[in-house]
Amino acid sequence: MSRFVLLSPNGEFDQKLRAAVANGLRGSVQTIASDILPAGPQELFALLNQEQPEVLIIGPDVPYEEALRFAKVFDVQLPGLSLVLVSDVDPAHLLNAMRAGIRDILSPQADAAEIRVLLERACQSFATRHRAPEAQGETNGKGLVIGVFSPKGGVGKTTLATNIAIGLGRIAPMSVVIVDLDLQFGDVASGLYLNPEHTVTDAVTPAAAQDSLVLKAFLTVHPAGIYALCAPLNPVDADHITPEQVSRLVEQLSHEFQYVVLDTAPGMPEIGLAAMEHCTDVVWVSAMDIPSLRGLRSGLEVLRQLDIMPESRHVVLNMADAKAGLNVRDVESTIGAPVDVSVPRSRAVALSTNRGIPVLQESKRDPAVKSLRQLVERFNPAWRAQAQRKLHRRVVI
Ligand SMILES: Nc1ncnc2c1ncn2[C@@H]1O[C@H](COP(=O)(O)OP(=O)(O)OP(=O)(O)O)[C@@H](O)[C@H]1O
Ligand SMILES: [Mg+2]
């Protein structure tokens, strides 16, 4: 059964839509390549030879008035369907379109990323209206929860977390969410060049805590096919968020996503520890200087004392530099643990932070990119199955 149905004789747009779906959305597209719209749902279903799709896209080349007439019929007879109009509609007519039941409007010039984001939103709206009562609870399957931590600040947690999320988005499009748990000074939004409408503040309200579909409506879609939940815009709001709320949030997201990536504040604040209890994987980051390495050693010891032991640990040495006067054996003996991945200091990475485009989004040729890919690979089920017994490998810097 096709999730998306396109009504349009425009072959070029048809191809663009198919490419956008194939590159990141579940389900397929069926096209009715005629400029005569079906009279109503029964006629449409007969043409499609299937039951109700989730999203109906009224393509370019359908006259605006005709599209509105059609939308009104469908809105009355099939109110759950998400209708998307592809048109350069004059803003003055937008209200008419909304009144006719059009859910969203897509420009005919939209690129694949924009099409994907909009279709994902339309599917979410379909799901919200069609959920069965049993679907309101949680499902049994749980995703990986990957937390990025370090006792010291400025060692590259946000850089790693955003790259892990973008990298995993390639393996599992629309199945990854990154959450900024550096609630006061988080910069995931800036690292991903996002301007979020909603933040963690909304995501921990009772309405969202009780219903994961409400929670999902507060996530921001990133054009690379991942979701983000950014830190509160005002640091004062962060004070009102409790470790219990964060714990519930992470638990909920782990039931909804294949991968939940957590960026955290430096040190071991209560919020971070609450989140760590849900982590299947902890990425420990250290820069290549003695204070940062010693900090990591103490951090690992504290966790041992607190008996918090996530299933898998990945030690990342970031900003590795052969000229720092330390070699990997010095590093490992200072931390008291083997290094799993070493990410070299790189200009491309420093630049990417300022541009808000993680290096893995652009697939640049850079030594740091190679290491970041290795790190992402550790969360790929195929790699894990092979390497489960030797998760810790010595690296060379
Ligand atoms: N491998 C690298 N090479 C060069 N620069 C890097 C590298 N990793 C991170 N940086 C730079 O270091 C700075 C700090 O990185 P980042 O913000 O990711 O650290 P952080 O641990 O999240 O900091 P905070 O503790 O303040 O949240 C950024 O400007 C980033 O571009
Ligand atoms: Mg940070």
Side-chain angles (χ1 to χ4, degrees):
M1 193 181 103
S2 301
R3 252 180 130 193
F4 307 97
V5 167
L6 171 66
L7 303 173
S8 172
N10 185 321
E12 200 184 319
F13 186 81
D14 181 32
Q15 280 195 355
K16 196 156 70 158
L17 182 81
R18 282 171 187 273
V21 170
N23 244 320
L25 292 174
R26 197 170 44 77
S28 60
V29 180
Q30 193 173 350
T31 306
I32 297 180
S34 159
D35 48 5
I36 303 166
L37 297 174
Q42 293 319 321
E43 196 181 320
L44 173 73
F45 294 158
L47 284 171
L48 292 175
N49 207 8
Q50 72 164 46
E51 284 182 30
Q52 182 168 348
E54 294 185 23
V55 185
L56 191 60
I57 302 128
I58 310 173
D61 300 347
V62 174
Y64 181 65
E65 294 305 330
E66 175 71 358
L68 250 49
R69 182 202 60 74
F70 174 85
K72 278 182 193 154
V73 173
F74 271 71
D75 191 40
V76 173
Q77 299 193 20
L78 283 180
L81 186 72
S82 284
L83 285 170
V84 172
L85 176 64
V86 186
S87 163
D88 274 327
V89 60
D90 182 337
H93 293 137
L94 279 181
L95 202 56
N96 281 342
M98 295 301 167
R99 283 192 185 128
I102 302 276
R103 168 98 213 149
D104 223 329
I105 295 180
L106 185 61
S107 158
Q109 289 81 42
D111 63 19
E114 287 164 327
I115 295 179
R116 235 180 354 255
V117 167
L118 193 135
L119 292 185
E120 179 66 23
R121 209 158 57 201
C123 288
Q124 265 189 25
S125 134
F126 176 87
T128 312
R129 286 182 247 169
H130 284 263
R131 61 189 143 156
E134 67 272 19
Q136 292 183 28
E138 291 160 345
T139 56
N140 288 329
K142 261 181 144 186
L144 288 191
V145 180
I146 304 160
V148 182
F149 292 84
S150 80
K152 297 275 178 184
V155 297
K157 291 179 295 303
T158 305
T159 306
L160 295 184
T162 48
N163 276 292
I164 292 171
I166 294 284
L168 288 173
R170 296 225 163 148
I171 299 173
M174 303 320 281
S175 305
V176 180
V177 62
I178 177 167
V179 185
D180 195 343
L181 291 181
D182 186 352
L183 297 176
Q184 269 176 322
F185 302 111
D187 40 24
V188 167
S190 122
L192 291 175
Y193 202 68
L194 291 172
N195 189 7
E197 223 175 293
H198 301 283
T199 69
V200 177
T201 306
D202 304 291
V204 297
T205 52
Q210 280 155 26
D211 187 336
S212 294
L213 277 163
V214 175
L215 167 62
K216 283 178 92 175
F218 292 138
L219 307 180
T220 305
V221 184
H222 183 274
I226 63 166
Y227 288 90
L229 183 54
C230 300
L233 303 177
N234 181 350
V236 175
D237 294 343
D239 286 345
H240 305 299
I241 298 173
T242 66
E244 291 72 29
Q245 285 176 314
V246 167
S247 182
R248 168 73 190 149
L249 171 66
V250 177
E251 169 76 14
Q252 272 178 293
L253 291 173
S254 72
H255 286 282
E256 298 293 325
F257 288 90
Q258 207 172 327
Y259 294 105
V260 181
V261 180
L262 308 174
D263 185 20
T264 63
M268 296 202 176
E270 270 190 285
I271 296 280
L273 289 176
M276 197 186 283
E277 300 224 19
H278 293 279
C279 285
T280 55
D281 293 72
V282 167
V283 175
W284 283 105
V285 196
S286 175
M288 207 170 179
D289 56 79
I290 293 291
S292 162
L293 294 167
R294 287 209 177 120
L296 187 51
R297 183 189 189 106
S298 318
L300 292 173
E301 271 166 21
V302 169
L303 292 186
R304 233 168 270 136
Q305 282 162 18
L306 292 177
D307 209 18
I308 302 179
M309 289 288 169
E311 286 164 36
S312 299
R313 182 191 68 191
H314 314 262
V315 174
V316 178
L317 180 63
N318 190 27
M319 307 193 220
D321 191 340
K323 293 183 213 126
L326 297 170
N327 63 32
V328 82
R329 282 185 193 279
D330 301 330
V331 167
E332 290 182 338
S333 65
T334 312
I335 304 175
V339 172
D340 297 302
V341 177
S342 165
V343 182
R345 184 180 288 284
S346 134
R347 232 172 73 84
V349 172
L351 216 63
S352 73
T353 304
N354 297 338
R355 294 173 62 216
I357 305 175
V359 279
L360 287 194
Q361 197 175 331
E362 294 191 304
S363 303
K364 282 202 160 116
R365 293 192 70 187
D366 186 273
V369 168
K370 202 169 148 219
S371 309
L372 289 167
R373 286 219 182 97
Q374 270 174 21
L375 177 60
V376 171
E377 200 54 21
R378 298 174 77 85
F379 310 111
N380 186 345
W383 187 91
R384 278 171 100 87
Q386 263 183 16
Q388 201 65 44
R389 267 179 284 127
K390 42 176 184 163
L391 263 174
H392 301 289
R393 285 180 305 175
R394 183 170 293 280
V395 299
V396 179
I397 46 171

